Amino acid sequence: MIPLEGVIPSYSPGQFMFLHFLDAQGASVIRRPYSIASSPNSPYLEFAIDMVGGQMTGRLAKVQAGEILGIEGPAGHMVYRNEPHAAFVAGGTGISPFMSMLRVIAEKNLQGRFVLFYSTRTKDHVLFSDELDALQKKHTGIKVVVTLTREAPDGWRGECGRLNHEMIAKHLPEAKDFDWWVCGPPGLVKAVRDCLSMLSVDPKRLRLEGWG
Ligand SMILES: Cc1cc2nc3c(=O)[nH]c(=O)nc-3n(C[C@H](O)[C@H](O)[C@H](O)COP(=O)(O)OP(=O)(O)OC[C@H]3O[C@@H](n4cnc5c(N)ncnc54)[C@H](O)[C@@H]3O)c2cc1C
């Protein structure tokens, strides 16, 4: 979470910001996009960033409190606009834009059905786990399906294995009546697009964002 002094730029749930490292003159030396996880109503911007040891993440891992970073944005068209039948598919840190969306849905108590499919490696990789449980309790229209791709721990009550069309249909037989947002590694985005096509989801109802 990066506290900002002053005004938070207004943004829609699903958008991203560019973060910049700056040189001594304030010019950008590294710039990368990151999806915003916080609700637009929050007094801060929150990001979930996988520290992959690259140019940006290598420096972010060592960032000190008080260090000044630049932000630019918002940007991106994968936004949520209060659609009442909304299904989200996240892979890894692709959960970020959907946290923003689900937080808004719960804050506004929007009426409808909202289903999140969240694919991640292990139970320890589930981000926002407690908050996702709390969101489901707070808002009865929200349902979260987590699938673990690299383990099947004892007592785990979620799904295991890669997301496929059978898993989607099991939890959301009315898939074709929903709007869909998919965010994560390009391989997952393509696989889910194919699954949704098998489930007769109209491609016009899909918003896709692949990265990682
Ligand atoms: C619209 C958009 C939104 C994004 N939102 C997020 C977000 O919310 N959280 C987030 O963590 N990232 C997000 N990314 C990815 C992010 O912008 C960077 O690409 C990522 O943090 C790596 O940057 P880097 O400078 O550290 O790595 P680079 O120096 O660019 O790459 C270094 C090496 O790391 C590899 N690498 C890069 N990314 C990954 C990865 N995810 N896993 C494994 N290896 C990798 C590269 O292939 C390369 O070999 C987003 C990207 C886009 C386009």
Side-chain angles (χ1 to χ4, degrees), residues 75-147:
H77 301 290
M78 197 194 66
V79 296
Y80 173 71
R81 299 186 201 281
N82 300 346
E83 288 84 347
H85 292 104
F88 313 109
V89 184
T93 49
I95 188 68
S96 282
F98 304 132
M99 287 311 297
S100 186
M101 296 179 192
L102 290 171
R103 285 165 165 170
V104 165
I105 287 165
E107 281 164 14
K108 293 187 178 169
N109 195 21
L110 294 180
Q111 296 308 297
R113 286 182 62 205
F114 311 98
V115 183
L116 169 69
F117 293 91
Y118 180 13
S119 171
T120 191
R121 280 174 266 175
T122 71
K123 205 173 152 194
D124 289 345
H125 285 86
V126 180
L127 303 175
F128 305 104
S129 178
D130 291 345
E131 189 175 349
L132 288 170
D133 287 345
L135 282 166
Q136 291 184 95
K137 288 194 183 105
K138 181 175 173 189
H139 192 307
T140 52
I142 294 178
K143 174 176 171 180
V144 178
V145 178
V146 177
T147 185

Side-chain angles (χ1 to χ4, degrees), residues 15-47:
Q15 289 195 293
F16 58 86
M17 291 277 180
F18 291 95
L19 295 188
H20 295 253
F21 272 100
L22 308 172
D23 66 15
Q25 285 71 45
S28 174
V29 288
I30 310 176
R31 172 186 187 262
R32 295 282 186 277
Y34 291 100
S35 296
I36 307 165
S38 39
S39 150
N41 304 314
S42 298
Y44 52 79
L45 289 175
E46 184 179 17
F47 302 99

